[in-house]
Coordinates of all heavy atoms in Angstrom, one line a residue:
V1 N 4.5 -3.3 21.0 CA 3.4 -3.9 21.8 C 3.5 -5.4 21.7 O 3.5 -6.1 22.7 CB 2.0 -3.4 21.3 CG1 1.0 -4.2 22.0 CG2 1.9 -2.0 21.6
L2 N 3.6 -5.9 20.5 CA 3.6 -7.4 20.3 C 4.9 -8.0 20.8 O 4.9 -9.2 21.2 CB 3.3 -7.8 18.9 CG 2.0 -7.3 18.3 CD1 1.9 -7.7 16.9 CD2 0.8 -7.9 19.1
H3 N 6.0 -7.3 20.6 CA 7.3 -7.9 21.0 C 7.9 -7.4 22.3 O 9.0 -7.7 22.6 CB 8.3 -7.7 19.9 CG 8.3 -8.7 18.8 ND1 8.4 -10.1 19.1 CD2 8.3 -8.6 17.5 CE1 8.4 -10.8 18.0 NE2 8.4 -9.9 17.0
N4 N 7.1 -6.6 23.0 CA 7.7 -6.0 24.2 C 7.4 -6.9 25.4 O 6.2 -6.9 25.8 CB 7.0 -4.6 24.4 CG 7.6 -3.8 25.5 OD1 8.4 -4.4 26.4 ND2 7.3 -2.5 25.6
P5 N 8.4 -7.5 25.9 CA 8.2 -8.4 27.1 C 7.7 -7.7 28.3 O 7.1 -8.3 29.2 CB 9.6 -9.1 27.3 CG 10.5 -8.1 26.7 CD 9.8 -7.4 25.6
E6 N 7.9 -6.4 28.4 CA 7.4 -5.7 29.6 C 5.9 -5.5 29.6 O 5.3 -5.2 30.6 CB 8.1 -4.3 29.7 CG 9.6 -4.5 30.0 CD 10.3 -3.2 30.1 OE1 9.7 -2.1 30.3 OE2 11.5 -3.2 29.9
V7 N 5.3 -5.5 28.4 CA 3.9 -5.3 28.3 C 3.1 -6.4 29.0 O 2.1 -6.2 29.7 CB 3.4 -5.2 26.8 CG1 1.9 -5.2 26.6 CG2 4.0 -4.0 26.2
A8 N 3.5 -7.7 28.8 CA 2.9 -8.8 29.4 C 4.0 -9.7 30.0 O 4.4 -10.7 29.4 CB 2.0 -9.6 28.4
G9 N 4.5 -9.3 31.1 CA 5.7 -10.0 31.7 C 5.4 -11.3 32.3 O 6.2 -12.2 32.2
D10 N 4.3 -11.5 33.0 CA 4.1 -12.8 33.7 C 3.2 -13.7 32.8 O 2.5 -13.2 32.0 CB 3.6 -12.6 35.1 CG 2.2 -12.0 35.1 OD1 2.1 -10.8 34.7 OD2 1.2 -12.7 35.4
P11 N 3.4 -15.0 33.0 CA 2.7 -15.9 32.1 C 1.2 -15.7 32.0 O 0.6 -15.8 30.9 CB 3.0 -17.3 32.7 CG 4.4 -17.1 33.3 CD 4.3 -15.7 33.9
P12 N 0.4 -15.5 33.1 CA -1.0 -15.3 32.9 C -1.4 -14.1 32.0 O -2.3 -14.1 31.2 CB -1.6 -15.0 34.3 CG -0.5 -15.7 35.2 CD 0.8 -15.5 34.5
E13 N -0.6 -13.0 32.2 CA -0.8 -11.8 31.3 C -0.4 -12.1 29.9 O -1.0 -11.6 28.9 CB -0.1 -10.6 31.9 CG -0.7 -10.1 33.1 CD -0.3 -8.7 33.4 OE1 0.2 -8.0 32.6 OE2 -0.4 -8.3 34.6
Q14 N 0.6 -12.9 29.7 CA 1.0 -13.3 28.3 C -0.1 -14.1 27.6 O -0.4 -13.9 26.5 CB 2.3 -14.1 28.3 CG 3.5 -13.3 28.7 CD 4.7 -14.2 28.8 OE1 4.7 -15.4 28.7 NE2 5.9 -13.5 29.0
V15 N -0.8 -15.0 28.4 CA -1.9 -15.8 27.8 C -3.0 -14.8 27.4 O -3.6 -15.0 26.4 CB -2.3 -16.9 28.8 CG1 -3.7 -17.5 28.4 CG2 -1.3 -17.9 28.9
L16 N -3.4 -13.9 28.3 CA -4.4 -13.0 28.0 C -4.1 -12.1 26.8 O -5.0 -11.9 26.0 CB -4.7 -12.1 29.3 CG -5.4 -12.8 30.4 CD1 -5.4 -11.8 31.6 CD2 -6.7 -13.3 30.1
A17 N -2.9 -11.7 26.7 CA -2.5 -10.9 25.6 C -2.6 -11.7 24.3 O -3.0 -11.2 23.3 CB -1.1 -10.3 25.8
R18 N -2.2 -12.9 24.3 CA -2.2 -13.8 23.2 C -3.7 -14.0 22.7 O -4.0 -14.1 21.6 CB -1.6 -15.1 23.5 CG -0.3 -15.3 22.6 CD 0.3 -16.6 22.8 NE 1.7 -16.3 22.9 CZ 2.6 -16.9 23.7 NH1 2.2 -18.0 24.3 NH2 3.8 -16.5 23.7
E19 N -4.5 -14.2 23.7 CA -6.0 -14.5 23.4 C -6.6 -13.2 22.9 O -7.6 -13.3 22.1 CB -6.7 -15.0 24.6 CG -6.3 -16.4 25.0 CD -6.9 -16.9 26.3 OE1 -7.7 -16.1 27.0 OE2 -6.7 -18.0 26.6
A20 N -6.2 -12.0 23.3 CA -6.8 -10.8 22.9 C -6.4 -10.4 21.4 O -7.1 -9.7 20.8 CB -6.4 -9.7 23.8
M21 N -5.3 -10.9 21.0 CA -4.8 -10.4 19.7 C -5.6 -10.9 18.5 O -5.9 -10.1 17.6 CB -3.3 -10.8 19.5 CG -2.3 -10.0 20.3 SD -2.6 -8.2 20.1 CE -2.3 -7.9 18.4
P22 N -5.9 -12.2 18.3 CA -6.7 -12.6 17.1 C -8.0 -11.7 16.9 O -8.1 -11.2 15.8 CB -7.0 -14.0 17.3 CG -5.9 -14.5 18.2 CD -5.6 -13.4 19.1
P23 N -8.8 -11.5 17.9 CA -10.0 -10.7 17.6 C -9.6 -9.2 17.4 O -10.2 -8.5 16.6 CB -10.8 -10.8 18.9 CG -10.2 -11.7 19.8 CD -8.9 -12.1 19.2
A24 N -8.5 -8.8 18.0 CA -8.1 -7.4 17.8 C -7.6 -7.2 16.3 O -7.8 -6.1 15.8 CB -7.0 -7.0 18.8
L25 N -7.0 -8.2 15.8 CA -6.5 -8.1 14.4 C -7.7 -7.8 13.4 O -7.5 -7.3 12.3 CB -5.8 -9.3 14.0 CG -4.4 -9.5 14.7 CD1 -3.8 -10.9 14.3 CD2 -3.4 -8.4 14.3
D26 N -8.9 -8.2 13.8 CA -10.1 -8.0 12.9 C -10.4 -6.5 12.7 O -11.1 -6.1 11.8 CB -11.3 -8.6 13.5 CG -11.3 -10.1 13.4 OD1 -10.5 -10.7 12.6 OD2 -12.0 -10.8 14.2
V27 N -9.8 -5.6 13.5 CA -10.1 -4.1 13.3 C -9.2 -3.6 12.2 O -9.4 -2.5 11.8 CB -9.9 -3.3 14.6 CG1 -10.8 -3.8 15.7 CG2 -8.4 -3.3 15.1
L28 N -8.2 -4.4 11.7 CA -7.3 -3.9 10.7 C -7.8 -4.3 9.3 O -8.6 -5.3 9.1 CB -5.9 -4.6 10.9 CG -5.3 -4.4 12.3 CD1 -4.0 -5.1 12.3 CD2 -5.0 -2.9 12.5
S29 N -7.3 -3.5 8.3 CA -7.6 -3.9 6.9 C -6.9 -5.2 6.6 O -5.9 -5.5 7.3 CB -7.2 -2.8 6.0 OG -5.8 -2.7 5.9
P30 N -7.2 -5.9 5.5 CA -6.5 -7.1 5.2 C -5.0 -6.8 5.0 O -4.2 -7.7 5.4 CB -7.2 -7.5 3.9 CG -8.6 -7.0 4.0 CD -8.4 -5.7 4.7
R31 N -4.6 -5.7 4.3 CA -3.2 -5.4 4.1 C -2.5 -5.2 5.4 O -1.4 -5.6 5.6 CB -3.0 -4.3 3.2 CG -3.2 -4.6 1.7 CD -2.0 -5.4 1.2 NE -2.2 -6.0 -0.1 CZ -1.5 -5.8 -1.1 NH1 -0.4 -5.0 -1.0 NH2 -1.7 -6.3 -2.3
Q32 N -3.1 -4.4 6.3 CA -2.5 -4.1 7.6 C -2.3 -5.4 8.4 O -1.3 -5.6 9.0 CB -3.4 -3.1 8.4 CG -3.4 -1.7 7.9 CD -4.4 -0.9 8.6 OE1 -5.5 -1.3 9.0 NE2 -4.1 0.4 8.8
R33 N -3.4 -6.2 8.4 CA -3.3 -7.5 9.1 C -2.2 -8.4 8.6 O -1.4 -9.0 9.3 CB -4.6 -8.2 9.0 CG -4.8 -9.4 9.9 CD -6.2 -10.0 10.0 NE -7.0 -9.8 8.8 CZ -8.0 -9.0 8.6 NH1 -8.3 -8.1 9.6 NH2 -8.7 -8.9 7.5
A34 N -2.0 -8.4 7.2 CA -1.0 -9.2 6.6 C 0.4 -8.7 7.1 O 1.3 -9.5 7.4 CB -1.1 -9.2 5.1
C35 N 0.6 -7.4 7.1 CA 1.9 -6.9 7.5 C 2.2 -7.2 8.9 O 3.3 -7.6 9.3 CB 1.9 -5.3 7.3 SG 2.0 -4.8 5.5
V36 N 1.2 -7.0 9.8 CA 1.4 -7.3 11.2 C 1.7 -8.8 11.4 O 2.7 -9.1 12.2 CB 0.1 -6.9 12.1 CG1 0.2 -7.5 13.5 CG2 0.0 -5.4 12.1
V37 N 1.0 -9.7 10.8 CA 1.2 -11.1 11.0 C 2.6 -11.5 10.4 O 3.4 -12.2 11.1 CB 0.1 -11.9 10.3 CG1 0.5 -13.4 10.2 CG2 -1.2 -11.8 11.1
L38 N 2.9 -11.0 9.3 CA 4.3 -11.3 8.7 C 5.4 -10.8 9.5 O 6.4 -11.4 9.7 CB 4.4 -10.8 7.3 CG 3.5 -11.6 6.3 CD1 3.5 -10.9 4.9 CD2 3.9 -13.0 6.1
R39 N 5.2 -9.6 10.1 CA 6.3 -8.9 10.9 C 6.4 -9.5 12.3 O 7.5 -9.9 12.7 CB 6.0 -7.4 10.9 CG 7.1 -6.7 11.7 CD 8.4 -6.6 11.0 NE 9.4 -6.0 11.8 CZ 10.5 -6.7 12.3 NH1 10.6 -8.0 12.1 NH2 11.4 -6.1 13.0
Y40 N 5.3 -9.6 13.0 CA 5.4 -9.9 14.4 C 5.1 -11.4 14.7 O 5.5 -11.8 15.8 CB 4.4 -9.0 15.2 CG 4.8 -7.6 15.1 CD1 4.1 -6.7 14.3 CD2 6.0 -7.1 15.7 CE1 4.5 -5.3 14.2 CE2 6.4 -5.8 15.6 CZ 5.6 -4.9 14.9 OH 6.0 -3.6 14.7
Y41 N 4.5 -12.1 13.8 CA 4.3 -13.5 14.1 C 5.2 -14.4 13.2 O 5.6 -15.4 13.7 CB 2.8 -13.9 13.8 CG 1.8 -13.4 14.8 CD1 1.3 -12.1 14.7 CD2 1.5 -14.2 15.9 CE1 0.4 -11.6 15.7 CE2 0.6 -13.7 16.9 CZ 0.1 -12.4 16.8 OH -0.8 -12.0 17.7
Q42 N 5.5 -13.9 12.0 CA 6.5 -14.7 11.2 C 7.9 -14.1 11.3 O 8.8 -14.7 10.7 CB 6.0 -14.7 9.7 CG 4.7 -15.3 9.5 CD 4.6 -16.8 9.8 OE1 5.5 -17.5 9.5 NE2 3.6 -17.2 10.6
D43 N 8.0 -13.0 11.9 CA 9.3 -12.3 12.2 C 10.1 -12.0 10.9 O 11.3 -12.1 10.8 CB 10.2 -13.2 13.1 CG 11.2 -12.4 13.9 OD1 11.0 -11.2 14.1 OD2 12.3 -12.9 14.2
L44 N 9.3 -11.6 9.8 CA 10.0 -11.3 8.6 C 10.4 -9.8 8.6 O 9.7 -9.0 9.2 CB 9.0 -11.4 7.4 CG 8.5 -12.9 7.1 CD1 7.6 -12.9 5.9 CD2 9.7 -13.8 6.9
P45 N 11.5 -9.5 8.0 CA 12.0 -8.1 7.9 C 11.1 -7.3 6.9 O 10.4 -7.9 6.1 CB 13.4 -8.2 7.4 CG 13.5 -9.5 6.7 CD 12.5 -10.4 7.4
V46 N 11.0 -6.0 7.1 CA 10.2 -5.1 6.2 C 10.4 -5.4 4.7 O 9.4 -5.5 4.0 CB 10.4 -3.6 6.6 CG1 9.8 -2.7 5.6 CG2 9.9 -3.4 8.0
A47 N 11.7 -5.5 4.3 CA 11.9 -5.7 2.9 C 11.3 -7.0 2.4 O 10.8 -7.0 1.3 CB 13.4 -5.7 2.7
Q48 N 11.4 -8.0 3.2 CA 10.8 -9.3 2.7 C 9.3 -9.2 2.7 O 8.6 -9.8 1.8 CB 11.2 -10.4 3.6 CG 10.9 -11.8 3.1 CD 11.5 -12.9 3.9 OE1 12.4 -12.7 4.7 NE2 11.1 -14.1 3.6
I49 N 8.7 -8.5 3.6 CA 7.2 -8.4 3.6 C 6.8 -7.6 2.4 O 5.8 -8.0 1.7 CB 6.7 -7.6 4.9 CG1 7.0 -8.4 6.2 CG2 5.3 -7.2 4.8 CD1 6.9 -7.6 7.5
A50 N 7.5 -6.6 2.1 CA 7.3 -5.8 0.9 C 7.3 -6.6 -0.4 O 6.4 -6.6 -1.2 CB 8.2 -4.6 0.8
T51 N 8.3 -7.5 -0.5 CA 8.4 -8.4 -1.6 C 7.3 -9.4 -1.7 O 6.7 -9.6 -2.7 CB 9.8 -9.2 -1.5 OG1 10.8 -8.2 -1.6 CG2 9.9 -10.1 -2.7
E52 N 7.0 -10.0 -0.5 CA 5.9 -10.9 -0.4 C 4.5 -10.3 -0.9 O 3.7 -11.0 -1.5 CB 5.7 -11.5 1.0 CG 6.8 -12.3 1.5 CD 6.8 -13.8 1.0 OE1 5.7 -14.3 0.8 OE2 7.9 -14.3 0.8
L53 N 4.3 -9.1 -0.5 CA 3.0 -8.5 -0.7 C 3.0 -7.6 -2.0 O 2.0 -7.1 -2.4 CB 2.6 -7.6 0.5 CG 2.3 -8.4 1.8 CD1 2.0 -7.4 2.9 CD2 1.3 -9.4 1.6
G54 N 4.2 -7.5 -2.6 CA 4.3 -6.7 -3.8 C 4.0 -5.2 -3.6 O 3.4 -4.5 -4.5
I55 N 4.5 -4.7 -2.5 CA 4.3 -3.3 -2.2 C 5.7 -2.7 -1.7 O 6.6 -3.4 -1.5 CB 3.3 -3.0 -1.1 CG1 3.6 -3.8 0.2 CG2 1.9 -3.4 -1.5 CD1 2.7 -3.6 1.4
A56 N 5.8 -1.4 -1.6 CA 7.0 -0.7 -1.3 C 7.3 -0.9 0.2 O 6.4 -1.0 1.0 CB 7.0 0.8 -1.6
D57 N 8.6 -0.8 0.6 CA 9.0 -0.9 2.0 C 8.3 0.2 2.8 O 7.9 -0.1 3.9 CB 10.6 -0.7 2.1 CG 11.4 -1.8 1.6 OD1 10.8 -2.8 1.0 OD2 12.6 -1.8 1.8
G58 N 8.3 1.4 2.3 CA 7.6 2.5 3.0 C 6.2 2.2 3.3 O 5.6 2.6 4.3
T59 N 5.5 1.6 2.3 CA 4.1 1.2 2.5 C 4.0 0.2 3.6 O 3.0 0.3 4.5 CB 3.5 0.7 1.2 OG1 3.7 1.6 0.2 CG2 2.0 0.4 1.4
V60 N 4.9 -0.7 3.7 CA 4.8 -1.7 4.8 C 5.0 -1.0 6.1 O 4.3 -1.2 7.1 CB 5.9 -2.8 4.6 CG1 6.0 -3.7 5.9 CG2 5.7 -3.6 3.4
K61 N 6.0 -0.1 6.2 CA 6.2 0.7 7.4 C 5.0 1.5 7.8 O 4.6 1.6 9.0 CB 7.4 1.6 7.3 CG 8.7 0.8 7.1 CD 9.9 1.8 6.9 CE 11.2 1.0 6.6 NZ 12.3 1.9 6.3
R62 N 4.3 2.1 6.8 CA 3.1 2.9 7.1 C 2.0 2.0 7.7 O 1.4 2.3 8.7 CB 2.6 3.6 5.9 CG 1.4 4.4 6.1 CD 1.0 5.3 4.9 NE 1.0 4.6 3.7 CZ -0.1 4.0 3.2 NH1 -1.2 3.9 3.8 NH2 0.0 3.4 2.0
Y63 N 1.8 0.8 7.0 CA 0.8 -0.1 7.5 C 1.1 -0.6 8.9 O 0.2 -0.7 9.7 CB 0.7 -1.3 6.5 CG 0.0 -1.1 5.3 CD1 0.3 -1.8 4.1 CD2 -1.1 -0.3 5.2 CE1 -0.3 -1.6 2.9 CE2 -1.8 -0.1 4.0 CZ -1.4 -0.8 2.8 OH -2.1 -0.6 1.7
L64 N 2.3 -0.9 9.2 CA 2.7 -1.3 10.5 C 2.5 -0.2 11.6 O 1.9 -0.5 12.6 CB 4.2 -1.8 10.6 CG 4.4 -3.1 9.8 CD1 6.0 -3.3 9.8 CD2 3.7 -4.3 10.5
S65 N 2.8 1.0 11.2 CA 2.6 2.1 12.2 C 1.1 2.3 12.4 O 0.7 2.5 13.6 CB 3.3 3.4 11.6 OG 3.0 4.5 12.4
E66 N 0.4 2.4 11.3 CA -1.1 2.6 11.5 C -1.7 1.4 12.3 O -2.6 1.6 13.1 CB -1.8 2.7 10.1 CG -1.4 3.9 9.4 CD -1.9 3.9 7.9 OE1 -2.3 2.9 7.4 OE2 -1.8 5.0 7.2
S67 N -1.2 0.2 12.0 CA -1.8 -1.0 12.7 C -1.5 -0.9 14.2 O -2.4 -1.3 15.0 CB -1.2 -2.2 12.1 OG -1.5 -2.4 10.7
M68 N -0.3 -0.6 14.6 CA 0.0 -0.5 16.0 C -0.8 0.5 16.7 O -1.3 0.3 17.8 CB 1.5 -0.2 16.2 CG 2.5 -1.3 15.7 SD 2.2 -2.9 16.5 CE 1.3 -3.8 15.3
T69 N -1.1 1.6 16.0 CA -1.9 2.7 16.6 C -3.4 2.1 16.8 O -3.9 2.3 17.9 CB -2.0 3.9 15.8 OG1 -0.6 4.4 15.7 CG2 -2.9 5.0 16.3
R70 N -3.9 1.5 15.8 CA -5.3 1.0 15.8 C -5.4 -0.1 16.9 O -6.3 -0.2 17.6 CB -5.7 0.5 14.5 CG -6.0 1.7 13.5 CD -6.6 1.2 12.2 NE -8.0 0.9 12.5 CZ -8.7 0.3 11.6 NH1 -8.2 -0.1 10.4 NH2 -10.0 0.0 11.9
L71 N -4.4 -1.0 16.9 CA -4.4 -2.1 17.9 C -4.3 -1.6 19.3 O -5.1 -2.1 20.2 CB -3.3 -3.1 17.6 CG -3.5 -4.0 16.4 CD1 -2.2 -4.8 16.1 CD2 -4.6 -5.0 16.6
A72 N -3.5 -0.6 19.5 CA -3.3 -0.1 20.9 C -4.7 0.6 21.3 O -5.1 0.4 22.4 CB -2.2 1.0 20.9
E73 N -5.3 1.3 20.4 CA -6.6 2.0 20.7 C -7.6 0.9 21.0 O -8.4 1.0 22.0 CB -7.0 2.8 19.6 CG -6.2 4.1 19.4 CD -6.5 4.8 18.1 OE1 -7.3 4.3 17.2 OE2 -6.0 5.9 17.9
H74 N -7.7 -0.1 20.2 CA -8.7 -1.2 20.4 C -8.5 -2.0 21.7 O -9.4 -2.2 22.4 CB -8.6 -2.2 19.2 CG -9.6 -3.3 19.3 ND1 -10.9 -3.2 19.1 CD2 -9.4 -4.6 19.7 CE1 -11.5 -4.3 19.3 NE2 -10.6 -5.2 19.7
L75 N -7.2 -2.3 21.9 CA -6.9 -3.1 23.1 C -7.1 -2.3 24.4 O -7.6 -2.8 25.4 CB -5.5 -3.7 23.1 CG -5.3 -4.8 22.0 CD1 -3.8 -5.1 21.9 CD2 -6.2 -6.0 22.3
S76 N -6.8 -1.0 24.3 CA -7.0 -0.1 25.4 C -8.5 0.1 25.7 O -8.9 0.0 26.9 CB -6.4 1.3 25.1 OG -6.7 2.2 26.2
A77 N -9.3 0.2 24.7 CA -10.8 0.4 24.9 C -11.4 -0.9 25.4 O -12.2 -0.9 26.3 CB -11.4 0.7 23.5
A78 N -10.9 -2.1 24.9 CA -11.4 -3.4 25.4 C -11.0 -3.6 26.8 O -11.8 -4.2 27.6 CB -10.8 -4.5 24.5
E79 N -9.8 -3.1 27.2 CA -9.4 -3.3 28.6 C -10.2 -2.5 29.6 O -10.4 -2.9 30.7 CB -7.9 -2.9 28.7 CG -7.2 -3.2 30.0 CD -5.8 -2.9 30.0 OE1 -5.0 -3.7 29.4 OE2 -5.4 -1.8 30.5
S80 N -10.6 -1.3 29.2 CA -11.3 -0.4 30.1 C -12.8 -0.8 30.1 O -13.5 -0.3 31.0 CB -11.2 1.0 29.8 OG -11.1 1.3 28.4
S81 N -13.3 -1.6 29.3 CA -14.7 -2.0 29.3 C -15.0 -3.2 30.2 O -14.2 -3.8 30.7 CB -15.3 -2.2 28.0 OG -14.6 -3.1 27.2

C-alpha cells in the first residue's frame, strides 16, 4: 500500500494519501508503528529493523503484516465515510 505507485498514481491523490497516513498510524500499537515507519519511511530491511528494535525478524514480519491489514481497514473505512 505505502510503496505501490498504482495506489495513488497522480499527484493530488499522492498528497491525499500522504496526509491520510499520519493519523492512520495512530491505530497501530507503538511496535507496529515503529516497524512500519522504519520499513516504509526509512526503507530499512527487515533484519535491520529487528536489530534496531531488539526483536526477531519473524516478529517484524508479523508486525508489518498485521499493520498493513489494520491500515487498509482503517483507510478503507475512512474513505467510505
Side-chain angles (χ1 to χ4, degrees):
V1 170
L2 297 176
H3 271 313
N4 186 347
E6 293 178 21
V7 170
D10 65 291
E13 286 194 25
Q14 289 176 354
V15 169
L16 289 174
R18 246 183 225 147
E19 289 176 357
M21 284 312 296
L25 291 172
D26 288 341
V27 304
L28 303 177
S29 73
R31 281 289 171 123
Q32 289 173 325
R33 188 170 34 255
C35 288
V36 168
V37 168
L38 291 172
R39 179 71 185 112
Y40 297 105
Y41 287 87
Q42 300 296 315
D43 205 27
L44 297 182
V46 169
Q48 191 171 350
I49 296 168
T51 300
E52 292 280 330
L53 298 178
I55 57 179
D57 289 8
T59 304
V60 171
K61 291 175 185 178
R62 179 172 49 88
Y63 283 148
L64 290 171
S65 176
E66 292 170 352
S67 298
M68 293 298 100
T69 299
R70 289 188 73 192
L71 286 170
E73 290 169 355
H74 177 78
L75 292 171
S76 176
E79 187 177 280
S80 36
S81 56

